[in-house]
Amino acid sequence: MAKKTKLSEQTSDRLYEMIADEHRYAPGSKLPNENELSEELQVSRTTLREAISFLVAQGVLEIRRGKGTYVASVLPATGLDLTELAGMRSRVRAKDLFEMRLIFEPETVALACQRATDEELEQIRKKAERVEEEALRGGDWPRADQEFHLAIIRASHNEYMRRLYPIINGAVNEILQISPNRRHMQEIALADNRLILDFLLQRDEAGARHAMSIHMKHLVRTLRE
């Protein structure tokens, strides 16, 4: 199992995800007051203050005396910028991105089999259900699918993978929105996600790794069609 971290560290991680990954609080915006935020995160105000202090030190948040706590206008660089890929032909760019995911996501899901808490596995299951629901009603299933994969990455308890995924995520979402094979990709995502989830819930590392690898290969093949 993953090494236990202090609750304040877990809280700072969750708050960072809400800002950088989920875009709940935009750069330059004010956070809710202590009472609201501690209730939302289900931690004490003392724990919340420690988490905020850590994010202030990292340059993610800033405290404005007499006004409150704000998200930094410019978040710290993550160390990787995919914008330089913007000039590449989208089909090549898409194939390369999914090949990149093929390199690290099978190992990530294997780590999640080892390290995920029961609560995290339940969250992953709910995210998979959300993909099905969005697809059924013609909603934004690509975003729901990305949240499913992000939940798996969080459950791997690997900080670098967690920070890397949102950067890739933005590019992947752009590709899915314009792909002529979007319908086929939806069918692949629904079928493959069920298999990935089944192995995850059984904590079957080899099975989950193989299922994720096959999923990425399916997507790469679809992009070539």
Side-chain angles (χ1 to χ4, degrees):
M1 297 296 288
K3 179 183 176 181
K4 287 193 174 181
T5 57
K6 288 177 59 177
L7 183 56
S8 60
E9 293 175 9
Q10 294 173 12
T11 303
S12 69
D13 282 348
R14 177 66 190 124
L15 190 50
Y16 181 84
E17 288 169 359
M18 292 164 71
I19 295 167
D21 302 349
E22 300 169 12
H23 309 293
R24 297 269 293 277
Y25 306 112
S29 66
K30 184 180 179 181
L31 293 185
N33 65 44
E34 263 189 12
N35 288 336
E36 291 177 26
L37 198 52
S38 61
E39 183 175 341
E40 181 174 2
L41 294 169
Q42 298 185 325
V43 296
S44 69
R45 284 182 294 172
T46 300
T47 298
L48 176 63
R49 288 184 197 122
E50 291 177 3
I52 287 175
S53 294
F54 177 77
L55 292 177
V56 168
Q58 296 294 311
V60 176
L61 298 176
E62 56 186 49
I63 296 175
R64 300 179 188 175
R65 193 175 299 277
K67 293 185 178 180
T69 303
Y70 289 75
V71 179
S73 298
V74 179
L75 294 178
T78 56
L80 179 62
D81 184 2
L82 294 182
T83 56
E84 63 188 49
L85 295 175
M88 296 173 63
R89 290 169 57 241
S90 61
R91 186 176 293 267
V92 174
R93 179 186 176 193
K95 180 177 70 68
D96 288 350
L97 277 167
F98 282 105
E99 284 178 352
M100 184 176 181
R101 292 179 67 186
L102 175 59
I103 291 169
F104 77 86
E105 285 203 52
E107 292 308 315
T108 302
V109 76
L111 287 175
C113 287
Q114 297 174 26
R115 299 174 175 176
T117 65
D118 291 342
E119 291 78 11
E120 286 171 330
L121 289 179
E122 177 62 14
Q123 283 299 312
I124 293 168
R125 186 188 65 76
K126 288 179 179 178
K127 296 291 186 184
E129 287 181 354
R130 180 68 185 278
V131 181
E132 301 263 359
E133 292 167 2
E134 288 293 324
L136 186 63
R137 70 181 186 85
D140 192 357
W141 70 265
R143 184 173 296 280
D145 184 62
Q146 290 158 32
E147 289 177 359
F148 168 70
H149 284 272
L150 179 56
I152 292 172
I153 287 171
R154 287 176 184 154
S156 75
H157 295 271
N158 183 293
E159 181 68 12
Y160 282 99
M161 290 179 183
R162 187 179 69 77
R163 297 290 177 96
L164 175 65
Y165 186 70
I167 303 170
I168 299 173
N169 202 19
V172 169
N173 185 55
E174 178 186 330
I175 289 159
L176 289 177
Q177 296 297 341
I178 64 173
S179 173
N181 294 325
R182 181 181 163 105
R183 181 69 184 179
H184 189 195
M185 285 187 162
Q186 175 184 302
E187 294 169 359
I188 288 171
L190 295 178
D192 290 353
N193 285 359
R194 294 183 196 116
L195 191 59
I196 293 165
L197 179 65
D198 187 47
F199 284 119
L200 250 174
L201 294 178
Q202 296 177 58
R203 296 187 183 272
D204 183 337
E205 295 174 43
R209 182 187 291 112
H210 183 65
M212 185 66 80
S213 178
I214 291 298
H215 175 53
M216 292 303 159
K217 288 175 181 176
H218 280 162
L219 293 175
V220 170
R221 189 178 304 122
T222 302
L223 289 167
R224 289 173 178 155
E225 293 175 355

